[in-house]
Amino acid sequence: MDDSVDTIVRRCRIRHGKGDGIKIYGGLGIQIQKNDISHNGQVGISIEDGADPVVRENSIHDGNSCGISVLKGGKGTIEDNDIYCNAHPNVYVANSADPLIRGNQIHHSGSCGVTCVEEGLGTIEENDIYCNQSVGLYIMNRANPVVRNNTIRESEGDGISVCFAGRGLIDGNTIRANAGIGLLIESEAEPRVTKNQILESHSDGIKVSHNGKGYIESNTVIRAGHGAGAGSGICITMGSAPVVKNNLVKDCLQHGVLITDESAGIIERNTISGHQGNGIAILRRANPIVRGNVVRENKGAGVFVSQAGRGMVSDNRLSYNRGQSQLLVEPGCDATVRDNIVS
């Protein structure tokens, strides 16, 4: 479909084609509604070259490639569809495409639920993204979408992965019971992560790795690590340096917040409680600023510094932690400790 006006494709069965089920490029006024699009050799619906269709209430499934792809500046409103069992990502956004993806069921892909790459944009909101074979939502290669108010659950991999200089606003999502990490930030990625519920991740709740950055504020991270037998609420490793503020982190299998392997960052005004390990652990030459946190009722120390850990630990309130000490700095460490309240 090219340069079309007021084209409507409705209640059709489009299946077993050798190429794309529907290909839209450069058109306006196109509506794709209530169709069953399946078993095509390539993409179920392909949107390219500035096309701006409405794609609503379709069933798009069992394709040999992606369910929907939006490329090369494509736009579109993709709403209330059931997108499932496609071999590649159910939804794929790339090359500065900027669609609205809202209210869809996106599930049981042979790959990721949604992939946004190569400077892809878009608003991804109020979708139910579940039971995909890899990552629920994958953001990478300078992609910068808005990801808001989705449920991302029961992925075979991570809930959300942001990597290779990916960015984006990740706000108000429920990320639950994913088999990997709830939210992974790595390889110079720098998203803004706010007001999410990250629950029952089998591994770490949030992990920032390999020079990852980002602003992580006002999230709730609960019961990480119980599926895989290991996992902290927030793990910062391999030279990473995020800002972590005003989060609630509780009841995880290992530490509340772990900073390790020459990482840094600011850990400020968080409430950290009920963990099987330490509330905050600073290990292996990590050098963070840890200030103004409430750390209580952990089975280990409130703050534990070991293995040449460094950093500034100040103005924290430490209480009812059951380790050897509320605040323990082992020999060989060079942490500055001041103005903490221990009870």
Side-chain angles (χ1 to χ4, degrees):
M1 298 182 184
D2 182 9
D3 295 325
S4 301
V5 177
D6 297 330
T7 298
I8 299 174
V9 179
R10 181 182 294 148
R11 299 185 187 279
C12 298
R13 298 178 71 183
I14 301 169
R15 55 182 180 160
H16 296 295
K18 292 183 178 180
D20 299 334
I22 298 175
K23 189 176 185 71
I24 307 167
Y25 51 98
L28 301 173
I30 297 170
Q31 299 182 44
I32 311 296
Q33 297 180 348
K34 298 184 178 180
N35 302 284
D36 187 274
I37 302 168
S38 70
H39 297 92
N40 291 289
Q42 296 186 31
V43 178
I45 300 176
S46 175
I47 302 167
E48 299 184 11
D49 295 330
D52 192 10
V54 174
V55 178
R56 183 175 289 137
E57 297 183 61
N58 301 279
S59 180
I60 304 164
H61 61 98
D62 292 293
N64 289 332
S65 183
C66 302
I68 297 177
S69 68
V70 191
L71 309 174
K72 300 177 185 176
K75 297 180 182 178
T77 298
I78 300 167
E79 189 171 43
D80 296 329
N81 301 281
D82 191 7
I83 309 169
Y84 63 97
C85 290
N86 295 287
H88 294 167
N90 276 323
V91 180
Y92 186 84
V93 180
N95 309 124
S96 302
D98 191 12
L100 170 61
I101 301 168
R102 180 171 61 201
N104 302 280
Q105 300 286 316
I106 301 172
H107 58 102
H108 291 95
S109 167
S111 178
C112 303
V114 179
T115 296
C116 189
V117 300
E118 296 172 8
E119 301 181 352
L121 302 169
T123 298
I124 302 165
E125 65 181 14
E126 299 176 4
N127 302 283
D128 192 3
I129 302 171
Y130 62 95
C131 293
N132 293 287
Q133 191 168 326
S134 182
V135 177
L137 172 60
Y138 200 2
I139 301 168
M140 62 179 176
N141 299 125
R142 300 174 303 283
N144 191 18
V146 174
V147 179
R148 181 179 290 133
N149 297 336
N150 302 279
T151 298
I152 301 170
R153 58 187 173 93
E154 300 171 46
S155 305
E156 293 296 319
D158 303 328
I160 299 177
S161 291
V162 190
C163 64
F164 303 117
R167 297 177 66 86
L169 171 64
I170 300 171
D171 177 71
N173 303 281
T174 298
I175 304 167
R176 176 169 56 83
N178 295 286
I181 298 159
L183 171 61
L184 173 64
I185 301 168
E186 68 174 358
S187 302
E188 300 183 354
E190 192 172 1
R192 187 176 183 90
V193 179
T194 58
K195 300 178 184 176
N196 301 281
Q197 300 274 329
I198 303 174
L199 313 174
E200 299 174 351
S201 303
H202 290 197
S203 184
D204 299 310
I206 298 173
K207 185 172 184 177
V208 189
S209 183
H210 292 87
N211 300 306
K213 298 179 183 177
Y215 192 84
I216 301 167
E217 183 177 23
S218 301
N219 302 280
T220 298
V221 183
I222 298 177
R223 287 186 56 79
H226 288 272
S232 296
I234 300 175
C235 175
I236 302 167
T237 185
M238 301 299 291
S240 298
V243 176
V244 180
K245 289 187 176 181
N246 298 319
N247 300 282
L248 172 63
V249 186
K250 63 183 295 187
D251 297 340
C252 298
L253 188 64
Q254 291 184 305
H255 309 299
V257 178
L258 169 63
I259 312 103
T260 187
D261 295 316
E262 300 183 349
S263 295
I266 298 172
I267 315 300
E268 186 172 38
R269 297 196 302 272
N270 303 282
T271 298
I272 301 166
S273 67
H275 304 288
Q276 299 296 307
N278 303 293
I280 299 172
I282 303 170
L283 310 177
R284 296 180 183 174
R285 299 175 300 283
N287 189 21
I289 296 170
V290 177
R291 66 187 175 211
N293 300 282
V294 175
V295 187
R296 63 174 186 250
E297 298 175 357
N298 300 286
K299 286 193 174 180
V303 177
F304 177 62
V305 187
S306 183
Q307 298 173 312
R310 297 184 291 162
M312 170 72 72
V313 180
S314 69
D315 301 291
N316 301 284
R317 297 179 64 92
L318 312 176
S319 60
Y320 302 107
N321 298 289
R322 288 172 277 173
Q324 181 179 348
S325 175
Q326 296 289 319
L327 197 164
L328 178 59
V329 180
E330 291 196 332
C333 298
D334 188 22
T336 300
V337 177
R338 69 184 188 200
D339 299 327
N340 298 283
I341 299 173
V342 177
S343 61

